[in-house]
Each structure stands twice: as C-alpha cells, then as structure tokens.
C-alpha cells in the first residue's frame, strides 16, 4: 500500500425514510431561528412541505434556484436573507438548490441544512461552481460545506426514472475519477467501489419500478458514498469536460455526465489499470466503459450530446476550451484524441477500451 493522506470533512448525516420530519429538530440543533428555504420552481411543493415542518422557524422561501448557480440568482436570494434577517438556509432539491444555498453561505457564512433529492452529490462537498456571463468558475472552500445533510429516501421517489439514471451516473463519475485521482487513498477506494456497485445494481430497477424502496435506498446510499469521493479527492478529464460543456454551452448537468463518462473512462483506461480492476469488480466484470454506457442507454437516458442541444460546430469550441487550461489527468491530453472523444460522445457511440487505445 502506498503512503496516503485522508482528510475527513465534518458534516452531520442522517439517512433513512421519512427523515425530513426531523428537519425542525436539526435546524434547532444548529441554533437557527429564522430560516430561508431554497428550491427550484419545479419543487415548490417540497419547499412548502419543508416550510410547514419548520413552523415558526420559517421566515422566507426562494424558489428561483437554477442550474450552474448563476450569480444574479444568488444576488436575488441574498436580498431575502438581508430583508428577513435569516440565520440559516435550508436547501431542498438537487445540485441546483444546494448550489444556491452554498453560494449564500459563501457570502454570509450562514449554516446550511440540506435535503438532497437527486444523486448529484453536492451536499457532501466543499465545492461551489458559479456561472457569470456564460463562464463557470469553481472554488473549494469549507465555508460552503453544508453543516447537516438529511437523506430521505422518500424525497427521491418523485425523481423521474430517466433523470434518476442520469443523476446516478453523475454520482458514479465522482467515484470513477476518485479511484485514479492523484490524491486517492484506500478509504476512498472502498467507498468508490461500494458506491459504483450500489448504483449499478439499483439504477436499472428504477427504470421499471421508480417507487422500489430498496432500489431507491441503495441508489441514495451509493450516491452518498460517491459524493464523499468527490469531496475527498481531485477529479480528472471527465469532470473537466463536463464542467466546460456545462458552463460554456449551458448543457444539462447529469445528462452531460452520462454522455461523457463512458468515453472519458475509455480514454483513461490504459493509464489506470488498478482503478479499472476496482470498477470492473463493482460492475460484475466486463468492459467498464461499455457497461456504463449500456446501463444508461438501456434505461432510456440520453447518451448523445447532440440530443442535449450541442451542435456539431460546438465540438471544436469544446476541444479548444478543454485544451486551453492544463488539468491533472492520469493520461496526458492529446488534442486529436480529445476531439475524437467529444465527437463520439456527441454522436452517442458506444465506446470500449480499444476506442482510445494509444497508438
Ligand atoms: P437539479 O438540481 O438542477 O435538478 C434537476 C431538476 O429536477 C430540477 O428541476 C429539480 O427541481 C428537479 N428535481 C430534483 N429532485 C427532484 C425530485 N426528487 N423529484 C422531482 N423533481 C426533482 O440537477 P442536479 O443534477 O441534481 O444538479 C445539477 C447542479 O448541481 C449543477 O449546477 C452542478 O454544477 C451542481 N453540482 C455541484 C456539485 C458540487 O460539488 N459543487 C456536485 C454535483 C452537482
């Protein structure tokens, strides 16, 4: 075993069914008396329910959270924080709601209590990506790490099956890249393997039976483990590609991860044999990139960037953006190979490990 450093991050995690009913107790434990609830406009029912559970601790709701955390949206929410003398933020929803809560915490240092309803994993990380004038920038600071996370399996039941699969593959991507990160370690590897295996087993079931409690529980547990992987290590080519495509071309987050992951993994495979062995164990053997592609496509998830609104002309834009800034990756970035990768993901081709084999 190689020498390693493991940095644990302090957050309180409650996991189970019906756990949202504990939200008032948890808000009080944080010392909060004047809470702002944030959500997207699609989850106002969840925000209302949270408001009712909080009773007199609730002072305001902001339901304008949006993907990639636009800074103008944050400024609108901050006005409510000031107007209502808010002393704590509750995010209910996926990475968009949680991103807004984190952006508020960045400005105010208010405590955050988060109820994730997708598998994206932002709740466990000290990472915030924000978009201004079409440019997405990401920072890591403990100031944005949520203090308390309530995982409630029941709150994920309404996530549509196809979105569930895409979000689950987004989670898998964190574990995949953590396995070959420069700062990976044996503890992260354990969580990554279990996280990938849990999602691999549960996602196909969610397509047929979105209300299958056991499958939902396994998917949420797996996504939590994958989120810790994201929080604990630095990411590589896959996250760089998704970050660039999402921020520059405003593509949807989970779906972009789903289209890119099989290709980014196939590109890196020859350089990360140990990681591929772990992923292969988690996926019950076989070609790892092809298996992930199959889980996504058989579940009806979009596997082609062209179906997400990216044009063929955007391929060169994306290659230039990815190559413009150096990024840690186990296999050096080669512009012609990266172009092939993005073009294949754009077309939705099924990759295998020979697709990007070194000459
Ligand atoms: P999202 O939060 O935008 O959710 C997608 C849509 O699904 C939204 O309309 C949302 O309201 C709806 N939704 C969410 N949960 C639902 C449920 N249970 N039932 C019905 N509808 C539901 O999407 P996401 O993929 O979770 O998050 C993407 C955002 O998160 C991006 O901005 C991304 O950059 C960010 N992110 C950040 C990190 C980090 O560590 N900083 C990690 C992952 C994602």
């Amino acid at each position: 075993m190689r020498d390693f450093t493991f940095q644990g991050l302090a957050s309180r995690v409650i996991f189970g069914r019906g756990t949202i009913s504990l939200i008032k107790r948890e808000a009080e434990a944080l010392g909060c008396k004047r809470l702002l609830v944030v959500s997207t406009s699609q989850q106002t029912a969840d925000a209302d329910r949270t408001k009712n559970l909080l009773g007199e601790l609730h002072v305001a709701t902001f339901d304008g959270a949006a993907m990639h955390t636009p800074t103008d949206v944050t400024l609108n929410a901050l006005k409510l924080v000031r107007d209502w003398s808010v002393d704590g933020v509750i995010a209910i929803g996926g990475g968009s709601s949680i991103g807004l809560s984190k952006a508020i915490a960045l400005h105010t240092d208010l405590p955050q209590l988060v109820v994730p309803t997708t598998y994206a994993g932002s709740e466990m990380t000290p990472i915030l990506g924000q978009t201004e004038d079409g440019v997405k920038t990401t920072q890591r600071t403990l100031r944005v790490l949520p203090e308390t996370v309530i995982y409630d399996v029941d709150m994920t039941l309404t996530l549509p099956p196809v979105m569930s699969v895409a979000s689950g593959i987004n989670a898998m991507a964190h574990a995949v890249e953590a396995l070959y990160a420069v700062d990976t370690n044996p503890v992260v590897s354990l969580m990554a393997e279990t996280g990938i295996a849990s999602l691999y087993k549960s996602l196909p079931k969610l397509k047929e039976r979105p209300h299958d409690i056991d499958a939902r529980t396994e998917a949420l547990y797996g996504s939590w483990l994958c989120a810790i992987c994201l929080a604990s290590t630095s990411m590589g080519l896959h996250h760089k590609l998704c970050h660039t495509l999402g921020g520059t071309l405003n593509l949807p987050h989970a779906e972009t991860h789903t289209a890119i992951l099989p290709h980014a993994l196939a590109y890196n495979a020859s350089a990360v044999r140990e990681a591929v062995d772990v992923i292969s164990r988690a996926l019950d053997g076989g070609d790892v990139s092809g298996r992930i592609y199959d889980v996504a496509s058989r579940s009806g998830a979009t596997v082609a960037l062209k179906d997400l609104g990216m044009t063929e002309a955007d391929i060169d834009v994306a290659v230039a953006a990815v190559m413009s800034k150096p990024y840690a990756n186990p296999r050096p970035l080669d512009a012609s190979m990266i172009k092939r990768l993005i073009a294949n993901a754009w077309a939705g081709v099924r990759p295998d490990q020979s697709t990007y084999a070194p000459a």
Side-chain angles (χ1 to χ4, degrees), residues 85-168:
S85 304
V86 164
D87 64 5
V89 186
I90 294 188
I92 177 113
S96 296
S97 301
I98 299 168
L100 174 58
S101 157
K102 286 172 152 184
I104 294 171
L106 182 71
H107 285 273
T108 61
D109 213 14
L110 288 176
Q112 303 171 75
L113 201 168
V114 167
V115 185
T117 62
T118 70
Y119 305 129
S122 178
E123 63 278 359
M124 294 308 298
T125 81
I127 305 167
L128 172 63
Q130 302 184 94
T131 311
E132 186 162 19
D133 299 330
V135 179
K136 187 167 180 178
T137 49
T138 300
Q139 58 184 301
R140 265 186 191 253
T141 163
L142 287 175
R143 205 171 156 93
V144 305
L145 182 71
E147 278 71 6
T148 303
V149 179
I150 297 182
Y151 285 106
D152 185 339
V153 175
D154 293 349
M155 297 302 295
T156 64
L157 298 180
T158 48
L159 191 64
V162 170
M163 214 188 279
S164 300
V165 173
S167 193

Side-chain angles (χ1 to χ4, degrees), residues 199-281:
L199 288 159
Y200 182 68
K201 282 190 208 111
S202 54
L203 295 183
K205 295 179 192 161
L206 294 183
K207 189 207 167 200
E208 305 302 331
R209 302 184 302 278
H211 290 88
D212 181 327
I213 294 297
D214 290 341
R216 283 285 182 194
T217 303
E218 189 149 23
L220 193 59
Y221 177 65
S223 72
W224 172 48
L225 296 179
C226 293
I228 302 173
C229 294
L230 173 65
S232 310
T233 59
S234 45
M235 297 284 110
L237 172 66
H238 169 80
H239 281 76
K240 167 74 172 173
L241 281 167
C242 294
H243 172 94
T244 304
L245 291 164
T248 313
L249 305 173
N250 196 27
L251 299 186
H253 180 82
E255 291 82 354
T256 304
H257 274 266
T258 303
I260 292 285
L261 182 63
H263 295 276
L265 179 54
Y267 180 88
N268 277 335
S270 61
V272 295
R273 294 283 178 214
E274 274 180 42
V276 169
D277 287 346
V278 176
I279 299 164
S280 177
R281 265 201 318 266

